Amino acid sequence: MSRWPSTPGLAWGADYNPEQWPDEVWDADVDLMRRAGVTLVSVGIFSWALVEPEEGRYDFALFDRVLDRLHAAGIGVDLATMTAAPPPWLTTRHPDVLPVLADGTRLSPGSRQSYCPSSPVYRERATALARAVAEHYRDHPALVAWHVGNEYGCHVARCYCDRSAEAFRAWLRERHGDLDALNEAWGTAFWSQHVTDWDQVLPPRATPTFGNPGQLLDFDRFSSDALLELFTAERDVLREVTPDVPITTNFMVGWTFAELDYWSWAREVDFVSNDHYTRSESPDRHVELAMAADLTRGLAGGRPWLLMEHSTSAVNWQERNIAKLPGELRRNSLQHTARGADGALFFQWRQSRAGAERYHSAMLPHAGPDTKVFREVCETGAGFARLAEVAGSTVRADVAIVFDWQSLWASRQPAHPTRDFSYQQLVSDLYAPLWAAGITVDFVPPSGDLSAYRLVVVPGLCAVTDADARRITEHVEAGGTALVTWASGLTDERGHVRLGGYPGAFRDLLGVWTEEFHPLRADERVLLDDGGEVAVWTEHLHPRGAEVIASYADGPLPGVPAVTRATRGAGAAWYLACGLRGEGLRRLVTTVAEQAGATPAGTPADGVELVRRHGRRGDRAVSWLFALNHTSADVELDVAGVDLLSGDPVSGRTTLRAGDVAVIREEEV
Ligand code: GLA
């Protein structure tokens, strides 16, 4: 379902936690929000203990006053169901609400998200609160969207308690039917794991050594579904009470979180929203940001989405929390917008003076409004207002990357050929050269529709169904191009290895077969005969119809092909059989994209990002070119149109200053 909060233009704002402050601060908040151009705030996310001080007694007086003031200032509210942190009375009365780790430790209250996803008591109390909030605020004019829970799974994505065990069994019955099928799927003939009664089926708790791969993968799937069920339980209550108010929950698409299969979650929300925090020490954090934004747009099915949270400057939960450089919060906000976000919000409005997040930046810092951060917040807010016409427009891409949380989970299990494989690293390594070339990328699920793409990149899709592998093959046969990498096609969806040579599911498509893996030592490097450098992975591959593009010049497999290309039907299938990196990888990826006919958004200088949104103004087709200079030097651009941020017409060569952003409205032909 697709529904969007009724806010004008692009949304701009933050989580607003007025309960941390006395009443007199709220008026100052609203005045300063106006100065900052705030249009939308998320309210009440962690307020359960305040609004339900004892079971069944609700007190919304504080939020009534807050919502009235926000409404009077023309600020919309994304109102939380307030269920993200169960109150002390609940966990004291029902300690079995608390989650349990794989080693049996029951977590204590005193933080947040301290609940077992399968706890019936938590679900009952959370849905009751969601109903009370919905009934109380159903007609409040400030209410523009519902914010269910908060960052599901952020802290507790897996619970191993007895309740979870019961729920896991029910889920397994649904998926596998009977114990024979379960035994077969989990390969329990190995290590005497055959089960003869459902009582013997457990979550993958702490074991003497490696657990069962089928059990681990199913538990990951179950755990994502268990939390999703919790979300839909609250959502259904809201739909019943306020059928017209759009509902979301904030995802955490990005480098640091991978515990939920967001493809299935995305189907259940009215609009997709995401929280994204850069890894502050990474020099390439803007590239990772772009990738997360593109993946979020994929989850939104190409429709606009909302950046629900990011940070104005430092966070407080990384090892070293580096403050953002001048211009960085503006660039980050506009970068998400460039890639499909119809708004950018922060955690949080006013920096806390107490509590665990005191040292996390906010729109309004401890030092007050006369600060670099607040000035930049106001400047960027004003820019967002000037970009109102971009709202509702979309991004187009010639290239798709297949992204699969289930393969990610399978690949991070223990007892694999190398510990140096990282699914996220591989996807990022393939994304980066496309980003640098100005080639926009969509992300699709393994079961996604590929027909719109000239090139489909398939990185490390290790656990793949027959049907999904067939779809990729058919895409090539119909004239598309695929670039499949090592670690793909190895097993079916149960984790059973596909026999007859790797990469099982893609062997025929790629015209190759591999007889043995040769992972490399920690610092070992191998050269290809075209000069490319390889780390982490090589494999003993034989072409069977494919053309050899490059072979190993040294290492354990001298002369063995490392990159191949096969013609299949009307298309081409490339296989990258090794951990190619750096310049060699950039060359390969851009060559494949070029041969596939992928068009870049322009010719970006190094460190400059170009991406386009497309839409309409009245009856005319229009596009907006976002140009973001991530470097500390001025660059020249060749553009024509009007820069909406400066208001200036531009035509021909124009300078984009160091760290600056331009959004150029171009008329489409
Ligand atoms: C997440 C949470 C917020 C806050 C921020 C800090 O996004 O949703 O409540 O904890 O992290 O970065």
Side-chain angles (χ1 to χ4, degrees):
M1 193 177 296
S2 170
R3 257 182 305 157
W4 189 256
S6 55
T7 44
L10 300 176
W12 180 246
D15 284 10
Y16 180 38
N17 298 306
E19 65 276 24
Q20 297 175 14
W21 300 94
D23 192 306
E24 56 274 14
V25 173
W26 305 349
D27 287 329
D29 280 337
V30 169
D31 286 347
L32 288 165
M33 282 182 191
R34 277 207 180 111
R35 239 164 89 184
V38 166
T39 61
L40 180 65
V41 290
S42 304
V43 173
I45 296 173
F46 299 105
S47 306
W48 189 340
L50 277 183
V51 300
E52 191 183 0
E54 58 188 69
E55 185 163 344
R57 182 168 72 78
Y58 299 107
D59 177 358
F60 293 114
L62 183 153
F63 288 104
D64 290 350
R65 283 181 285 142
V66 169
L67 262 64
D68 290 350
R69 280 183 218 196
L70 290 167
H71 178 62
I75 296 167
V77 172
D78 167 51
L79 186 59
T81 54
M82 311 193 181
T83 54
W89 61 255
L90 179 60
T91 47
T92 305
R93 187 169 314 153
H94 302 281
D96 64 347
V97 162
L98 293 164
V100 171
L101 303 181
D103 68 0
T105 309
R106 194 175 282 280
L107 297 179
S108 282
S111 179
R112 64 176 176 184
Q113 216 173 73
S114 38
Y115 60 81
C116 157
S118 303
S119 157
V121 173
Y122 172 79
R123 180 171 312 192
E124 197 246 317
R125 294 316 314 160
T127 46
L129 176 56
R131 182 175 296 280
V133 176
E135 282 173 351
H136 188 80
Y137 288 108
R138 59 190 303 161
D139 298 319
H140 199 288
L143 173 67
V144 298
W146 287 119
H147 183 109
V148 180
N150 190 63
E151 292 194 338
Y152 279 94
C154 175
H155 309 299
V156 181
R158 311 279 182 267
C159 174
Y160 298 80
C161 75
D162 290 341
R163 285 281 188 206
S164 296
E166 271 171 40
F168 184 37
R169 286 181 204 117
W171 184 93
L172 289 166
R173 279 179 201 262
E174 187 79 16
R175 182 176 174 93
H176 296 287
D178 57 24
L179 282 178
D180 286 347
L182 181 75
N183 277 309
E184 169 60 22
W186 285 10
T188 55
F190 185 79
W191 278 359
S192 178
Q193 292 171 354
H194 189 85
V195 284
T196 52
D197 190 291
W198 282 100
D199 288 352
Q200 299 157 16
V201 178
L202 296 169
R205 293 174 176 154
T207 46
T209 182
F210 311 128
N212 178 303
Q215 178 198 23
L216 286 167
L217 188 53
D218 271 349
F219 192 65
D220 283 332
R221 292 175 174 134
F222 154 76
S223 300
S224 177
D225 287 355
L227 281 166
L228 181 55
E229 240 184 81
L230 210 48
F231 163 77
T232 55
E234 285 194 36
R235 181 208 58 193
D236 292 347
V237 169
L238 300 174
R239 281 212 178 135
E240 186 194 318
V241 182
T242 56
D244 297 325
V245 180
I247 301 170
T248 195
T249 183
N250 43 348
F251 295 169
M252 282 173 288
V253 175
W255 191 275
T256 39
F257 181 84
E259 304 309 316
L260 302 181
D261 184 346
Y262 283 131
W263 294 120
S264 54
W265 280 70
R267 290 195 288 268
E268 304 295 341
V269 295
D270 290 334
F271 66 99
V272 164
S273 64
N274 195 44
D275 295 353
H276 185 268
Y277 292 92
T278 53
R279 292 185 299 156
S280 62
E281 289 187 72
S282 161
D284 295 329
R285 54 194 180 277
H286 53 290
V287 183
E288 194 271 322
L289 184 158
M291 184 170 123
D294 287 346
L295 179 50
T296 308
R297 187 180 66 253
L299 292 166
R303 287 181 292 275
W305 52 278
L306 180 65
L307 181 68
M308 187 65 90
E309 287 180 29
H310 65 152
S311 70
T312 56
S313 191
V315 299
N316 71 327
W317 46 263
Q318 295 176 6
E319 287 183 16
R320 284 159 294 276
N321 298 296
I322 312 300
K324 288 192 178 172
L325 295 168
E328 195 170 345
L329 91 78
R330 176 170 178 264
R331 269 198 315 284
N332 291 170
S333 306
L334 289 164
Q335 213 186 338
H336 285 288
T337 313
R339 295 182 178 276
D342 267 7
L345 277 57
F346 295 90
F347 175 82
Q348 58 178 327
W349 163 250
R350 183 183 280 274
Q351 189 169 18
S352 302
R353 65 179 168 192
E357 295 186 315
R358 289 165 299 168
Y359 295 112
H360 192 295
S361 61
M363 289 175 104
L364 184 61
H366 286 149
D370 188 14
T371 46
K372 167 210 122 193
V373 165
F374 192 69
R375 278 190 290 277
E376 209 176 301
V377 159
C378 294
E379 184 202 348
T380 311
F384 264 59
R386 287 196 284 273
L387 295 183
E389 66 184 54
V390 172
S393 62
T394 54
V395 176
R396 295 179 196 154
D398 289 338
V399 178
I401 295 182
V402 175
F403 192 93
D404 182 28
W405 275 278
Q406 301 193 22
S407 283
L408 186 161
W409 298 335
S411 69
R412 72 183 181 184
Q413 290 182 1
H416 270 91
T418 175
R419 59 175 287 184
D420 295 332
F421 174 75
S422 153
Y423 182 85
Q424 282 140 305
Q425 189 64 56
L426 180 59
V427 176
S428 311
D429 288 350
L430 288 148
Y431 178 86
L434 294 163
W435 180 90
I439 296 172
T440 308
V441 170
D442 277 351
F443 281 86
V444 293
S447 59
D449 177 3
L450 305 176
S451 55
Y453 303 105
R454 291 177 179 273
L455 170 62
V456 173
V457 181
V458 184
L461 188 65
C462 62
V464 62
T465 64
D466 290 348
D468 293 345
R470 199 175 322 114
R471 199 168 298 107
I472 292 166
T473 301
E474 285 167 1
H475 175 69
V476 173
E477 286 168 352
T481 298
L483 169 60
V484 179
T485 80
W486 57 289
S488 293
L490 302 181
T491 76
D492 64 16
E493 66 277 20
R494 302 167 305 176
H496 291 201
V497 172
R498 294 174 178 275
L499 304 180
Y502 317 115
F506 298 114
R507 212 169 41 215
D508 293 341
L509 168 67
L510 300 169
V512 300
W513 66 280
T514 284
E515 63 175 283
E516 192 176 13
F517 303 138
H518 286 261
L520 301 178
R521 291 169 181 79
D523 296 318
E524 193 175 355
R525 299 288 178 266
V526 168
L527 284 182
L528 299 188
D529 55 11
D530 66 359
E533 190 187 71
V534 171
V536 180
W537 191 260
T538 64
E539 57 187 56
H540 190 171
L541 174 143
H542 304 274
R544 192 156 53 196
E547 171 195 353
V548 176
I549 304 294
S551 302
Y552 302 107
D554 56 17
L557 300 166
V560 168
V563 182
T564 61
R565 181 185 184 277
T567 305
R568 284 284 168 271
W574 297 69
Y575 184 44
L576 172 59
C578 62
L580 186 62
R581 34 189 269 151
E583 177 53 23
L585 183 62
R586 193 200 61 74
R587 224 173 33 230
L588 175 72
V589 171
T590 47
T591 303
V592 174
E594 210 171 280
Q595 289 193 12
T599 322
T603 314
D606 266 2
V608 174
E609 177 170 351
L610 296 180
V611 60
R612 217 172 243 111
R613 289 183 66 156
H614 300 264
R616 304 195 72 78
R617 287 188 81 216
D619 54 3
R620 289 203 319 276
V622 177
S623 57
W624 295 269
L625 178 68
F626 284 69
L628 300 108
N629 183 353
H630 297 285
T631 75
S632 48
D634 296 354
V635 293
E636 298 291 305
L637 289 177
D638 249 331
V639 284
V642 179
D643 179 359
L644 297 181
L645 292 173
S646 67
D648 298 333
V650 286
S651 119
R653 230 154 166 68
T654 178
T655 302
L656 184 62
R657 302 195 75 81
D660 203 359
V661 182
V663 180
I664 294 149
R665 184 206 296 141
E666 316 164 302
E667 303 291 323
E668 281 194 354
V669 270

